[in-house]
Amino acid sequence: MLTGLIDYNGKTYVFKLHKESFALEIEDTEEREKLPFLGVAFGFNKEPGNELQKTGTLIAKDFEKGKAIHFHIKDVYQSAPKTYKASLISYIVFDGGETSFDGLEIQADELNWFHNISLAFEHYKYFEDGEGELRLKPFDKTTEEFEFDLKDKLIKGNLSIRRDVTKIATSPLKLNSTLNYQFEDTTDISMANDLVSLTRQLLEFISYRKNLHINKLILKKKFDHENYSIGELYVRYPQPEEKEEEKIIRERIISYPLLGSSFTKLLEKISLKKVYLRHIPVNYKSINTITPARFVMATAGFEWQFEISHKAKSEENKQKYEKERNEVLDFLNEKIEETTGKKEKKFFDSSRRFFEKNQSQLAANIMWALKESDEVLKDFIESAYTMNGIESEDFKRNVIAERIQKDRNTFAHGNLSTEFNKLIDIDLSVLEWLYYAMVLDDIGVSKENARKCINDLFQRGYNYR
């Protein structure tokens, strides 16, 4: 818990911050019944009920070190005659006094392997008598620079490897890869919040899971061409209860060298919501767990991304299969009208309802995308099925596509008691690889590097060089 004081209109108030829940309590220490509100850069006006104005910045100092703090409010309400509670979007704990900022440094476990910390090693040698030496490369040899636009503002950035040395730890040298952003000098925290959100989505994509662990967010300001820390930013987002195993974080990831110049395009497309991410599994364990919900979400991920990446083909397939579906419906309607037998009429009626509810372009889209991605996915698909003793007839593009569509429809229409077909786990993997093949192609990654990305992320075991 963080506690401190807020001064407002010559009066002093007390706050308590519950860090894990981002809940802020504010109390009047004297004459609390006359409380206007506390340490706010503006006045709050009451709305119906006990809720107050929803946005703003509260300014405070903590008890322990007297550091300036900015609280960025999501909503605030009066919980008792002398107490207010606020839910926060984010807050800043400044190193010293309040100041503007023009940079953000992000440290996260996944970044250490996205921009591999081993790049910093130039020379290492160990001798039997205990003597040894380690030499690191200079910063300019381990830093990758880039720039992109975010909401019509130019963002400059770099991936670098931070070196921290200490004499009071068992590991005196600690290396951390950091993602650094630079932008116009500002006091508006929304830019930093947007960059944190963008980075979280980037890490979700390159690791194919949502249980990421951001370790630190450092706000910076440039003085005399050098960037200095001016405080730490805390943003409200769900931190995983348990961190992923280090081996998974290290080995199941798409690395920066494979993206290369396409990295900035990936950032831009994510910021513009042109990369679908909602279907990404919560953690590594859930990646290996097949459930109806997971299968339906994976197909939704493919469909949304296909619509984004191949809009023209998606529209073409919609029109084609809508025409075919309508022709079938016309035929069934005629048969219902002319049929007198109860059993036959029921059959045609149920068939009509099925075609009314089910459109056929999912299978067509999968089949077309598989053909387009054949050079990238062929090795993975053939080995996945043949290693499980599956005949080649069962992993032709059209067979895979129809099987996935059939399973999706079964689960989507609530038939949860239906047994999984024996190939569903491989089919689901194919759909996941296909999603990545589409996105990587969309941002301009070469087929060779796309193959390596999927091989690394899904640990397919190929030794591509």
Side-chain angles (χ1 to χ4, degrees), residues 441-460:
D441 180 67
D442 210 18
I443 62 175
V445 174
S446 69
K447 286 180 168 47
E448 179 184 2
N449 280 356
R451 200 161 45 235
K452 291 177 182 177
C453 286
I454 295 168
N455 185 58
D456 292 348
L457 183 59
F458 294 96
Q459 291 290 283
R460 300 317 304 158

Side-chain angles (χ1 to χ4, degrees), residues 268-279:
E268 287 181 340
K269 283 190 173 290
I270 290 174
S271 71
L272 295 171
K273 302 189 184 308
K274 291 187 176 181
V275 177
Y276 187 79
L277 299 167
R278 291 182 62 186
H279 69 295

Side-chain angles (χ1 to χ4, degrees), residues 85-248:
K85 290 187 178 181
S87 179
L88 305 178
I89 300 169
S90 62
Y91 64 93
I92 304 169
V93 179
F94 289 93
D95 294 338
E98 305 161 33
T99 181
S100 58
F101 47 88
D102 56 19
L104 174 66
E105 176 184 310
I106 299 180
Q107 298 177 24
D109 292 350
E110 286 75 14
L111 288 174
N112 292 331
W113 312 109
F114 177 61
H115 183 57
N116 201 301
I117 55 172
S118 66
L119 294 170
F121 295 116
E122 184 169 78
H123 173 76
Y124 174 78
K125 197 168 186 180
Y126 178 74
F127 302 96
E128 290 184 1
D129 62 2
E131 183 182 359
E133 58 187 36
L134 170 66
R135 187 163 62 244
L136 301 179
K137 296 177 184 176
F139 284 114
D140 62 354
K141 296 281 183 66
T142 60
T143 299
E144 298 286 348
E145 297 185 343
F146 58 88
E147 60 181 49
F148 66 101
D149 290 325
L150 178 65
K151 294 183 176 179
D152 296 324
K153 292 183 180 179
L154 178 65
I155 307 295
K156 294 185 177 182
N158 67 69
L159 284 157
S160 64
I161 301 175
R162 179 185 178 120
R163 289 87 158 156
D164 291 304
V165 180
T166 178
K167 294 182 179 180
I168 58 172
T170 54
S171 299
L173 174 64
K174 188 173 183 180
L175 302 179
N176 281 295
S177 290
T178 63
L179 183 54
N180 304 279
Y181 298 108
Q182 292 88 46
F183 38 83
E184 288 186 4
D185 193 52
T186 184
T187 57
D188 182 5
I189 197 61
S190 63
M191 172 61 76
N193 288 345
D194 287 345
L195 287 168
V196 174
S197 177
L198 174 61
T199 303
R200 284 186 60 79
Q201 292 175 78
L202 167 71
L203 297 179
E204 286 179 9
F205 178 79
I206 64 172
S207 63
Y208 196 52
R209 50 184 176 76
K210 292 184 180 292
N211 62 332
L212 315 164
H213 201 277
I214 290 182
N215 302 316
K216 212 168 214 183
L217 302 169
I218 301 172
L219 289 174
K220 293 188 169 183
K221 188 174 177 66
K222 187 173 286 187
F223 297 101
D224 298 326
H225 306 292
E226 294 290 334
N227 290 310
Y228 294 94
S229 168
I230 58 96
E232 193 164 347
L233 171 65
Y234 299 84
V235 178
R236 182 174 185 162
Y237 49 75
Q239 283 279 35
E241 293 183 8
E242 294 183 11
K243 292 176 66 173
E244 195 63 77
E245 290 182 21
E246 184 178 346
K247 186 178 188 321
I248 300 300

